[in-house]
């Protein structure tokens, strides 16, 4: 079965091998050297002033960001389940939450954020997904960050990049906290989250909030190449292998270019067979199709063609399907996925099979003219 869900994503064989050695103690020079090397790679990936790894799923990093960077009122952007989660975290900690809500195919506008910030002087942090995985859309986070900083540079910008870091270049000059998670674009098993932080964020954090998720404790320790509590050693060893693999494969810019091209080839192929892209501003992390037969297509992909794609959640259950674009993906696998979708449409009697999806995918991917 091909795993094509936008998280978890497949873990490359060499990364699984790297994680299969004997358990290493985390308070040793050997592990500290690995930690230091991993940090060096992370600085290149995040381009932020500081990076911190914590043993948790992505949500743990979202919570760490909110409690350490917001003291009063959070402005959260809800165009899907993950945006909604930021607001839930804020209220769970007794913080005020102001939400801008849109349908899951609709990104927030810079104007709406600017208006909310101007109308509420208590807002001291904004939380938004770069790629909102619920509907596969891209929010204009860099533009939002720039506009908000022009109004009040003290407002902290928290950007959830769990399906964006490692997928596409992100301009972090106005972002204070950039979050990544291991099981999405970083091609690892779940359990490790990473936060990139600006110097302004470090200043706001001060002595930190919370205990396990207190970012001040982690920053202090991680500057010394260790962690406040037991490090997720196996996942960090795996992360170093992933980042070295990406570097050896032409570097992160090459991965960004490959991902963008593949996402374009897939959407073109699927549109050519009459399917519709759900979000108005698609993220590069996944291809999301809304379709009356979404549930049947997803099921047939599994039972007849050995392809596992994700469905939708909540009100989009059975209405969309999402194909992963994150990580190192072989063209031959992706060619099979779009071909399998076309075969599903034939099985459903929607369209005679003629290989169009595969043809378009290959033409774009391999630059072969029509
Ligand atoms: C998966 C995901 C999360 C949540 O991460 P968990 O690892 O499931 O806690 C948050 N934000 C986005 C955009 C995601 O895709």
């Amino acid at each position: 079965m091909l795993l094509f869900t936008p998280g978890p994503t497949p873990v490359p064989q060499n990364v699984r091998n790297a994680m299969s050695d004997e358990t290493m103690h985390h308070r040793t020079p050997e592990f500290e050297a690995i930690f230091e090397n991993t940090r060096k790679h992370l600085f290149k990936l995040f381009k932020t002033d500081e990076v911190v790894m914590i043993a948790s799923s992505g949500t743990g990093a979202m919570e760490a960001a909110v409690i350490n960077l917001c003291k009063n009122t959070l402005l959260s952007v809800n165009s899907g389940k993950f945006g909604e989660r930021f607001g839930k975290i804020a209220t769970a900690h007794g913080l005020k939450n102001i939400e801008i809500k849109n349908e899951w195919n609709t990104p927030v506008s810079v104007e709406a954020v600017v208006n909310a910030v101007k109308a509420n002087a208590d807002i001291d942090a904004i939380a938004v997904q770069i790629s909102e995985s619920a509907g596969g859309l891209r929010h204009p986070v860099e533009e939002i960050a720039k506009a908000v900083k022009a109004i009040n540079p003290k407002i902290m910008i928290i950007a959830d990049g769990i399906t964006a870091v490692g997928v596409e270049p992100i301009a972090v000059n106005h972002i204070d906290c950039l979050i990544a998670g291991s099981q999405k674009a970083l091609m690892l098993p779940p359990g490790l989250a990473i936060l990139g932080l600006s110097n302004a964020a470090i200043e706001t954090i001060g002595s930190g909030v919370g205990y396990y998720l207190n970012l001040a404790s982690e920053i202090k320790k991680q500057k010394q190449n260790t962690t406040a509590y037991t490090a997720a050693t196996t996942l960090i060893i795996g992360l170093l292998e992933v980042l070295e693999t990406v570097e050896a494969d032409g570097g992160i810019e090459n991965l960004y270019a490959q991902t963008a091209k593949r996402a374009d080839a897939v959407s073109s192929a699927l549109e050519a067979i009459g399917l519709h892209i759900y979000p108005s501003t698609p993220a590069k992390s996944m291809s999301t199709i809304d379709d009356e037969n979404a549930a049947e297509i997803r099921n047939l992909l599994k039972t007849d063609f050995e392809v596992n794609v994700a469905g939708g959640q909540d009100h989009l259950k059975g209405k969309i399907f999402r194909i992963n674009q994150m990580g190192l993906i072989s063209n031959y696998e992706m060619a099979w996925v779009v071909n399998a979708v076309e075969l599903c449409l034939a099985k459903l009697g929607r369209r005679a099979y003629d290989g169009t999806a595969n043809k378009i995918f290959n033409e774009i991917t391999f630059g072969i003219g029509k």
Side-chain angles (χ1 to χ4, degrees), residues 6-7 56-62 81-83 85-86 129-134 160-164 179 181-184 190-193 286 322 326:
S56 83
S57 88
T59 306
M62 293 167 74
K81 245 191 143 45
F82 297 108
R85 187 169 299 175
F86 269 129
Q129 275 57 42
I130 296 175
S131 153
E132 167 55 82
S133 313
D160 171 356
I162 292 174
T163 51
I179 300 168
S182 56
Q183 81 278 22
K184 309 264 171 97
L192 187 71
M286 65 196 75
R322 297 171 295 153
M326 296 177 280

Side-chain angles (χ1 to χ4, degrees), residues 9 162-167 181-187 242 255 326-327:
T9 58
I162 292 174
T163 51
V165 176
V167 174
S182 56
Q183 81 278 22
K184 309 264 171 97
L186 297 177
M187 300 171 260
V242 164
L255 178 58
M326 296 177 280

Side-chain angles (χ1 to χ4, degrees), residues 75 77 100 102 107-118 144:
L75 176 64
V77 168
I100 303 176
N102 279 302
V108 72
S109 69
V110 178
E111 196 190 4
V113 174
V114 164
N115 290 343
V117 166
K118 285 184 175 161
I144 288 170

Side-chain angles (χ1 to χ4, degrees), residues 9 166-167 184-185 187 255 258-259 262 324-329:
T9 58
V167 174
K184 309 264 171 97
M187 300 171 260
L255 178 58
Q258 278 178 21
T259 306
R262 194 176 53 244
N324 176 51
Q325 299 292 355
M326 296 177 280
L328 295 159
I329 297 175

